[in-house]
Amino acid sequence: MAAAYAPMTFPVYRHLLSLKPAARHPEQGDDRLVQPVGFVARSEGTPIGLALGELPLGTQSMPVESDNTPEVLSLFVRPANRNQGAATALLERLEHHIRDRGFAKVKAVYMGARPGNEALARVLAKRGWSAPAVRTVTLRFSPQGARNTPWYGRVHLSDEYEIFPWAELTSQEREQLRSSQAQKEWIPPGLEPWMHDHHSFDPISSLGLRYRDQVVGWVINHRVPPATVRFTCSFMRKDLGRRGRILPLYTASLQRLEEAGCKECLFITPIEFPTMVSFVKDRCAPWEGFLTETYGVSKRLEGS
């Protein structure tokens, strides 16, 4: 059945259609194992719809506040079969399945500016989900187009700085980053490099910055099938970041991608990092690319 329903979900989730425990986003450095769950709709034996979700593995009955909340990954019904209640029924079955496994909450994330969003919003509202809240700002652009932005290639580093491929980070430097963070937190939660490079990263465009032989910044990227590079984690030490010293890292990364023939990139910035949100909105989007937002929704599951 997996092959028949593969066109009904995103390419990055098709490996979950076997319903065997698997890493969620191995191509993006996220190797957390999840248990895929899915429900399908058929009309006279013909596949017409799919609801696909995931359960965290290892712990059941997670508290509502936990990050280990089950997630609906995709919901799709063929255009010819829409407005007949199939999507609502699929979502209901998936909610009940998650609730029956002892979970108190379910969540979902979806991209703005998509043609089916109005219909999706109606289905979510009918099922009692929360109002959508902005989670991230996303800019889709090309390495070539980035040359049009006002910051590209404008900041130059002194000889005290060295840009290097992240693949050349030494084991001693990695340990120094970890130990210094343990002694006194200087990297904001979620931007620690070991959270993003432990499984995989794009070796062409992922770069680090040394200042006086100390690693002080990084840009860690991942390949998103089929041919997009996502800027996943960007950071510069606070005392150096105010002067735009991360911009040469962006420029060098984009130059490498352009030379490698990359045609599309993504900046995805969580709203809890307002400086980066402003950078994307004010210093990138007016000159290049397509800007949109992702939205988060959730629902408490009664009777769990």
Side-chain angles (χ1 to χ4, degrees):
M1 292 176 63
Y5 289 92
M8 298 185 184
T9 191
F10 302 105
V12 294
Y13 295 141
R14 288 173 184 167
H15 70 290
L16 301 177
L17 291 175
S18 68
L19 301 185
K20 297 178 181 178
R24 179 179 180 182
H25 284 301
E27 79 290 345
Q28 298 177 30
D30 185 353
D31 59 359
R32 292 173 298 161
L33 288 180
V34 298
Q35 174 59 59
V37 293
F39 287 88
V40 302
R42 290 178 286 188
S43 176
E44 298 180 352
T46 301
I48 65 167
L50 168 70
L52 182 66
E54 65 174 29
L55 303 178
L57 282 178
T59 307
Q60 296 253 342
S61 301
M62 295 290 182
V64 172
E65 296 79 14
S66 173
D67 290 333
N68 293 314
T69 301
E71 185 168 348
V72 177
L73 301 177
S74 65
L75 179 65
F76 178 86
V77 174
R78 292 189 183 277
N81 302 99
R82 291 174 184 172
N83 300 314
Q84 300 174 17
T88 303
L90 283 168
L91 183 59
E92 181 179 11
R93 290 291 298 276
L94 188 54
E95 290 172 10
H96 289 175
H97 180 86
I98 293 170
R99 179 200 63 195
D100 292 345
R101 286 344 182 242
F103 292 95
K105 185 179 180 182
V106 61
K107 64 182 180 180
V109 176
Y110 64 92
M111 183 77 73
R114 289 183 180 272
N117 280 359
E118 289 187 8
L120 175 62
R122 290 194 296 270
V123 172
L124 292 171
K126 189 182 298 185
R127 292 295 310 152
W129 285 61
S130 66
V134 177
R135 290 183 73 248
T136 66
V137 172
T138 299
L139 180 70
R140 190 178 297 272
F141 65 103
S142 70
Q144 299 80 7
R147 292 177 175 271
N148 300 323
T149 61
W151 52 265
Y152 187 97
R154 301 295 175 87
V155 178
H156 301 282
L157 299 172
S158 69
D159 293 340
E160 294 179 299
Y161 294 87
E162 176 196 4
I163 295 176
F164 66 96
W166 192 251
E168 296 179 5
L169 183 78
T170 68
S171 57
Q172 292 83 0
E173 288 174 322
R174 183 179 294 277
E175 179 55 35
Q176 171 60 29
L177 288 171
R178 285 182 173 273
S179 61
S180 63
Q181 176 75 350
Q183 292 170 10
K184 183 179 180 180
E185 185 176 283
W186 59 282
I187 307 170
L191 297 183
E192 303 95 332
W194 53 86
M195 298 290 291
H196 304 281
D197 70 353
H198 67 289
H199 183 86
S200 66
F201 59 90
D202 178 50
I204 295 174
S205 62
S206 298
L207 303 174
L209 184 68
R210 296 186 181 103
Y211 173 62
R212 297 177 180 176
D213 297 326
Q214 295 292 319
V215 177
V216 295
W218 46 84
V219 172
I220 300 174
N221 304 335
H222 293 90
R223 293 274 171 174
V224 180
T228 299
V229 172
R230 183 184 72 175
F231 282 66
T232 304
C233 176
S234 305
F235 173 75
M236 183 62 58
R237 202 175 73 188
K238 187 175 181 180
D239 60 312
L240 303 174
R242 294 191 184 97
R243 298 188 179 183
R245 290 189 176 92
I246 198 169
L247 298 179
L249 279 180
Y250 287 145
T251 297
S253 181
L254 290 164
Q255 287 173 340
R256 288 167 174 250
L257 288 173
E258 185 174 358
E259 292 170 359
C262 175
K263 301 299 182 184
E264 185 175 68
C265 299
L266 291 175
F267 267 133
I268 302 180
T269 305
I271 59 171
E272 56 261 35
F273 300 119
T275 301
M276 277 302 301
V277 171
S278 297
F279 172 74
V280 171
K281 286 186 173 182
D282 301 336
R283 304 189 67 183
C284 297
W287 287 270
E288 165 64 13
F290 175 72
L291 184 70
T292 186
E293 296 171 328
T294 61
Y295 298 91
V297 292
S298 63
K299 179 180 179 178
R300 291 179 181 271
L301 302 174
E302 297 180 0
S304 56

